[in-house]
Amino acid sequence: MTFFDGSGALDGDGGLDRLTPLLFETMGGVTVRPWRLSLTTLGVRASVPMLRGVWGAALRDADPGLYEQVFVGAAEHRGPEAVRLPRYVLRAAPPDPDDAPALDFITIGLEAAQDAALLAAWAVALRRGLGPDRVPCDLKAATLLSPNGRLRAGAEEGAEANSEPGWSLDQARWPLAGDPPVTPCRLVFDAPLRILRQGRLVTAPTLTDIVLSASRRLAAFLPPSLAGRASGLAEAARAVASVTPQRPWQGARTDLVRWSSSQQAEVEMRGVSGSLALPRGPGSLWPLLLAGTWLHLGKGTVFGLGQPAVEPLD
């Protein structure tokens, strides 16, 4: 098995205990700025794809250059080609009767100075109206989230908060009590997970499928100084996943149908929802799984798909 040394080069005599710190070192190269957007939708049943569409249109009208940077985004290199990945994730916020509806809007590798324009586009999009009747709505508040996923204490609401720095993924916090590598847990995918292998949907993903998808997502947003270690990390993660105790996938097909304005047609996005139990914990892979809770996995991440939740194993 091969691992990286501290400079990013491969060596052949590493151990599994080296993977965790190396993952954290690599995650430190990816900065996120997660916002909790509190909305007033006046009875409109607004889906994540609907909200993404109206926000994208407003941002394109206001700043085409920023729209291109955010929606076209980063290049994920696969062989001789580069696949472009948007620099954001949009998902429903956790249920909260005191703050509903709400979205989590996570920018990846963008500058704090760009937040004002991004949030202004959200306000404009909502005022333009939602649904077939174009009901005008409102952005009540925008508050940054901390690395533990909670609202940042003392953070201002709204675009004025854009002077606050984001945080890198190595600062993210594991959501369960106990020592993360050895604490039994369950990876839960309530929103559909879309991992494709040779163009076909993986209907019963294993830990190997999940960590390889997480490795690809992390690699896509690495700065050039860290990009060279991506393939080695994926190789090491695959090796560890293959020997990590896991129970069979429990779940079912869950498809999402959305309207594509570019294709002027409904598009079906096939996926699976369910869970994967790790009865002895995730081992040295836990930082990579933690990164996935913010970056998401698989296809359709901009619609909130592929979000893993880490829950206790009963």
Side-chain angles (χ1 to χ4, degrees), residues 35-185:
W35 291 90
R36 176 69 47 81
L37 306 182
S38 302
L39 314 178
T40 299
T41 55
L42 300 176
V44 178
R45 299 188 64 181
S47 66
V48 170
M50 176 196 297
L51 291 165
R52 172 186 178 269
V54 297
W55 168 64
L59 182 62
R60 184 175 57 238
D61 292 345
D63 190 333
L66 182 56
Y67 170 87
E68 184 78 6
Q69 183 179 357
V70 173
F71 271 71
V72 176
E76 178 186 17
H77 293 278
R78 296 180 182 176
E81 299 181 354
V83 179
R84 306 298 293 189
L85 293 178
R87 286 192 171 273
Y88 72 95
V89 169
L90 188 63
R91 67 193 188 194
D96 182 351
D98 296 326
D99 186 21
L103 294 172
D104 284 350
F105 168 54
I106 305 167
T107 66
I108 307 167
L110 298 178
E111 300 295 330
Q114 297 169 310
D115 283 359
L118 297 174
L119 295 176
W122 274 110
V124 169
L126 292 164
R127 286 197 299 266
R128 287 179 177 179
L130 300 177
D133 297 325
R134 291 294 181 181
V135 177
C137 300
D138 186 36
L139 175 62
K140 293 189 298 182
T143 310
L144 283 167
L145 298 178
S146 298
N148 60 10
R150 300 187 181 95
L151 297 178
R152 180 169 291 183
E156 298 180 61
E157 294 180 345
E160 294 79 7
N162 68 353
S163 61
E164 297 190 29
W167 45 269
S168 53
L169 286 177
D170 62 326
Q171 298 174 276
R173 295 293 178 261
W174 189 249
L176 304 183
D179 191 15
V182 297
T183 300
C185 65

